[in-house]
Amino acid sequence: MPPIMRRNSFVTFTPLRRLALPLLLLLGTLLVTTGLFWHAREQGLAQIRQDAEASLGRYIINLRHQLARHRDLPRLLAAQQQLKALLTDPHNPRKTDAANRYLSWVNAIMGATDSYLINSNGLTLAASNWDQPLPFIGNDYSFRPYFQQAMEGGQGRYFALGNTSRVRGYFFSSPVREADQIIGVTVVKVDLEDIEDSWNDALQDILVMDEDGVIFISTRHDWRFRLLPRPGALTPDDQLLARIAASRRYENAEVRPLPLQHRDTTTHGNQLLTLDGNEAAGHYLLVSELLPEAGMRVAVLANLSPLKARIARTLITGLGAFWASAALLLFLRARHRMKQRHEHELQQAHEALERRVAQRTRQLTDSNQRLKQEVEQHQQTQNQLVQAAKLAVLGQLSAGINHELNQPLTAIRQFADNGRKLLARGRTEAVDGNLAEIGGLAGRMAAILQPLREFARQRDAGGAQTRVAQLRQGVLVLMGAELEKHHATLHWPDDRDDIVVAGDAGRLEQVLVNLIGNALQAMANQPAPRIDINITTDDARVILAVRDHGPGLSERALAHIFEPFFTTKSTGLGLGLSISHRIAESLGGELSAANHPGGGAIFTLVLNRAHKEPA
Ligand code: ADP
């Protein structure tokens, strides 16, 4: 497979492209982080603000309710005769006692903290706590704004630290009039400290401040009498602090500013505060509402610490989702690219394969063409060779026939010439001898030509049959003289004489004569040659074996013995066995040659068995 080209878009990464993905992820992370941060912060702030506003609302309702319960009480007291009576006769112990008892009775019924009566000089004449350890009676409250407000004819409202009880409370006051003259002031004090103990929200603190920002009530004890500077400022100015100290509103309590480190305003107009210091350190949201009728500002200071956790949670979830989505996208992208790459590789492999197939097909077509040409050339060459071989065979045949026939022809000419000479001399008896010789030689020539005729003979399709007895006798007649000449024995038992074979006697004899003749020639140097003929049969076939005791067949002879013109004899034509082979085949049988294990050659002629008697 060829390597993937570098120019492919999906494997080429320029440095810029390589950086693009990390940069994109970084940018995405930054954007997501920023977006999530602001979203979570805004949501969290909104939630905290809503909670704080709800708390504030609840607290203000309670506060207003509590204040409303006592707001008109001083006015009611101012109309009471016993109190007026005491103001007009302040040193009367009976009137003092009556006023005291009345005040404590009303105070108890209304659930106020303290109720008391002050004369026009600010001196307390009677008080609900007259029988308590530190009664107000005898105290001078002329410095209190609520006294001054009432003396000016108004309904006084003020909150301050009680200078005797040291209990922080809200003071309602009302002028006591007698003939259009203000002769004194009634005061009802309401304790507002309950809230500090009943408040149990760890993340929110309730602050009640005066107009100057002094925290008067706080669910966080250490913030009492601390000052929250006016919006925008981190510290109060010294003049304000001096004025507050001079008012003695909070007696000797030291008014210190809250340790503000930073402050900000939200889009909703709420204050964001960062406080320093050991216990209060942290970020807060301040939600406040001014109660002008009470001269106070009520605030809820909500701790922003849950915001961090919320932002962290949102960031973790959001970034997790972002990274998971990014990872999924990257995975899908990588998979897509890999698929593309595989498809491309597959395509390339396919194309390469097609190219190779085309190339191979071309090569095969070429080589096929070449082979065809070569075959044609070979055919030509073979034809030429066959022609040459034919010519050679013709030459050999001519030479053989020439050799075989020349001798008897020369002899015949000799005998004929001699016969004429003998005839001229009148020796007719001698001429007869010569003629007999000529006749013999002609017979020999006929015998030489006999096998050549066989070559030309067509395969015998006829159904000739021969008895073995006939064959044996025929061969003995034909070969008798020759066997005798060689002092040879032909061992052919007559116990198989009744067997009938397919084939005509003439050609069968020719084969056997040829085999026996060759055997005799092979044993020419033996004094008493012996030839054994053995016949075996089965249902269909007759096997006739001719064995001699000569030298046997060489390897070369075994390989070529049935080929025409194969001969080892100087005078042989090499046609005898080739013709015999053809005859055996033409009779539907076969002829084979081998060496006998006991020495000598053995030729096996297999013939078809005929069951019918020959006609
Ligand atoms: P030819 O007799 O004219 O040579 P054949 O075809 O009859 O032709 O025999 C071919 C050759 O086979 C012989 O030249 C001889 O070498 C060999 N041959 C045939 N018969 C025998 C045998 N019985 N023993 C040894 N060699 C044989």
Side-chain angles (χ1 to χ4, degrees):
M1 186 177 299
I4 294 165
M5 302 296 186
R6 294 292 296 167
R7 64 184 154 77
N8 290 336
S9 60
F10 38 81
V11 288
T12 309
F13 285 109
T14 62
L16 206 65
R17 280 189 66 133
R18 217 185 277 266
L19 274 176
L21 191 65
L23 279 176
L24 206 69
L25 283 175
L26 194 69
L27 194 70
T29 308
L30 278 175
L31 281 175
V32 169
T33 308
T34 316
L36 284 175
F37 176 82
W38 282 109
H39 178 74
R41 186 177 180 274
E42 285 308 304
Q43 291 281 309
L45 271 178
Q47 182 67 52
I48 290 171
R49 180 170 50 78
Q50 277 172 15
D51 291 350
E53 279 173 353
S55 298
L56 182 68
R58 266 200 319 276
Y59 182 70
I60 286 174
I61 287 172
N62 275 337
L63 188 67
R64 281 195 164 129
H65 176 72
Q66 204 167 353
L67 294 178
R69 273 184 63 194
H70 302 98
R71 191 181 53 204
D72 298 321
L73 193 55
R75 215 145 35 111
L76 210 68
L77 290 175
Q80 289 303 313
Q81 259 335 113
Q82 316 80 311
L83 300 185
K84 281 186 183 175
L86 181 62
L87 284 171
T88 48
D89 186 8
H91 303 294
N92 187 328
R94 194 180 50 80
K95 287 181 181 169
T96 304
D97 186 53
N100 279 338
R101 285 177 191 281
Y102 176 72
L103 284 172
S104 62
W105 177 70
V106 171
N107 195 69
I109 287 177
M110 293 307 289
T113 310
D114 295 301
S115 305
Y116 47 102
L117 179 70
I118 308 171
N119 72 9
S120 55
N121 297 321
L123 194 72
T124 309
L125 299 183
S128 57
N129 61 356
W130 62 276
D131 53 351
Q132 306 283 311
L134 282 171
F136 292 172
I137 298 167
N139 287 349
D140 181 359
Y141 291 118
S142 59
F143 68 94
R144 287 294 202 194
Y146 61 81
F147 171 75
Q148 291 156 11
Q149 287 162 3
M151 283 306 291
E152 282 160 18
Q155 301 295 315
R157 288 178 185 12
Y158 192 64
F159 62 89
L161 185 67
N163 66 340
T164 311
S165 64
R166 310 211 53 85
V167 172
R168 289 157 298 150
Y170 197 87
F171 299 83
F172 292 104
S173 63
S174 180
V176 183
R177 294 175 198 272
E178 185 68 35
D180 287 343
Q181 273 240 304
I182 297 173
I183 56 166
V185 173
T186 49
V187 183
V188 171
K189 181 187 174 189
V190 183
D191 179 9
L192 297 177
E193 289 182 356
D194 295 357
I195 182 74
E196 291 185 342
D197 301 321
S198 61
W199 197 258
N200 59 1
D201 192 329
L203 292 171
Q204 288 180 349
D205 284 298
I206 292 283
L207 307 178
V208 179
M209 296 170 274
D210 65 14
E211 305 89 333
D212 296 322
V214 178
I215 299 165
F216 176 61
I217 289 171
S218 166
T219 48
R220 202 182 266 236
H221 293 201
D222 53 339
W223 285 355
R224 278 179 208 156
F225 307 117
R226 304 296 291 268
L227 178 83
L228 180 66
R230 62 182 168 72
L234 289 178
T235 49
D237 58 59
D238 294 340
Q239 277 181 348
L240 178 68
L241 288 173
R243 188 163 58 75
I244 293 167
S247 75
R248 289 179 58 202
R249 188 175 196 174
Y250 307 111
E251 291 299 317
N252 297 324
E254 190 196 355
V255 174
R256 284 181 296 123
L258 276 179
L260 267 186
Q261 204 178 44
H262 184 74
R263 69 190 297 169
D264 211 349
T265 310
T266 68
T267 46
H268 288 84
N270 302 122
Q271 299 273 307
L272 282 174
L273 306 179
T274 305
L275 293 186
D276 207 358
N278 293 337
E279 289 165 32
H283 302 280
Y284 298 89
L285 176 76
L286 185 83
V287 180
S288 69
E289 192 175 326
L290 187 67
L291 270 55
E293 77 278 11
M296 59 172 76
R297 178 177 284 277
V298 183
V300 169
L301 194 64
N303 198 324
L304 294 183
S305 59
L307 200 59
K308 264 189 201 166
R310 187 185 177 120
I311 292 174
R313 261 200 321 274
T314 310
L315 280 182
I316 287 169
T317 317
L319 280 177
F322 172 74
W323 276 102
S325 315
L328 184 71
L329 278 177
L330 285 178
F331 168 74
L332 289 175
R333 181 166 162 268
R335 209 175 64 162
H336 178 68
R337 285 194 169 175
M338 200 177 282
K339 203 174 139 201
Q340 266 190 330
R341 199 158 117 181
H342 281 164
E343 276 172 6
H344 184 80
E345 283 175 3
L346 212 64
Q347 178 71 25
Q348 282 201 330
H350 185 72
E351 283 169 6
L353 199 69
E354 273 188 351
R355 275 201 301 278
R356 286 189 62 181
V357 167
Q359 193 184 6
R360 194 84 193 98
T361 311
R362 257 198 322 277
Q363 285 174 350
L364 281 175
T365 316
D366 288 354
S367 73
N368 218 11
Q369 198 66 34
R370 268 202 310 281
L371 272 177
K372 256 190 199 162
Q373 285 173 354
E374 276 173 23
V375 167
E376 276 169 18
Q377 280 172 1
H378 282 163
Q379 221 137 28
Q380 279 179 0
T381 317
Q382 200 191 25
N383 290 343
Q384 287 167 357
L385 280 175
V386 169
Q387 287 303 325
K390 278 181 185 168
L391 287 176
V393 166
L394 213 58
Q396 253 182 331
L397 194 62
S398 313
I401 293 169
N402 191 43
H403 177 81
E404 289 294 314
L405 297 186
N406 223 14
Q407 232 182 338
L409 275 176
T410 311
I412 285 172
R413 199 177 299 128
Q414 202 78 48
F415 279 121
D417 286 349
N418 281 349
R420 285 174 66 196
K421 281 176 191 162
L422 287 170
L423 208 59
R425 285 181 207 154
R427 288 179 60 185
T428 46
E429 74 290 353
V431 172
D432 182 56
N434 274 17
L435 284 175
E437 285 294 343
I438 286 169
L441 286 167
R444 212 178 128 201
M445 285 168 72
I448 288 167
L449 288 174
Q450 168 74 20
L452 294 175
R453 277 208 316 275
E454 270 306 321
F455 259 124
R457 248 178 35 196
Q458 286 295 310
R459 182 179 281 233
D460 183 10
Q465 297 179 357
T466 309
R467 277 169 64 93
V468 169
Q470 185 192 351
L471 202 57
R472 190 168 58 83
Q473 281 152 12
V475 168
L476 283 175
V477 169
L478 285 170
M479 293 304 289
E482 195 71 6
L483 288 166
E484 225 168 277
K485 196 171 116 190
H486 286 89
H487 310 289
T489 322
L490 177 65
H491 186 76
W492 188 338
D494 56 7
D495 57 345
R496 300 282 171 169
D497 274 2
D498 288 339
I499 295 166
V500 184
V501 296
D504 58 294
R507 283 193 296 165
L508 288 171
E509 281 168 9
Q510 188 184 342
V511 173
L512 285 172
V513 164
N514 187 29
L515 293 177
I516 291 164
N518 277 346
L520 285 176
Q521 284 174 355
M523 297 184 291
N525 53 358
Q526 289 186 12
R530 175 192 162 114
I531 298 164
D532 295 301
I533 293 189
N534 181 37
I535 299 177
T536 51
T537 57
D538 60 25
D539 264 3
R541 302 174 83 77
V542 177
I543 299 133
L544 215 144
V546 180
R547 183 205 166 179
D548 64 47
H549 297 268
L553 303 165
S554 67
E555 254 181 57
R556 192 170 151 265
L558 276 172
H560 302 287
I561 202 160
F562 295 115
E563 288 174 12
F565 305 112
F566 173 79
T567 180
T568 55
K569 298 166 195 166
S570 55
T571 55
L573 262 181
L575 288 173
L577 282 178
S578 115
I579 290 166
S580 298
H581 194 258
R582 273 176 62 117
I583 290 171
E585 278 187 339
S586 73
L587 293 175
E590 58 192 50
L591 179 63
S592 58
N595 281 317
H596 195 277
I602 178 162
F603 287 83
T604 308
L605 175 66
V606 181
L607 295 169
N608 285 322
R609 189 170 179 176
H611 293 282
K612 267 195 346 193
E613 280 292 308

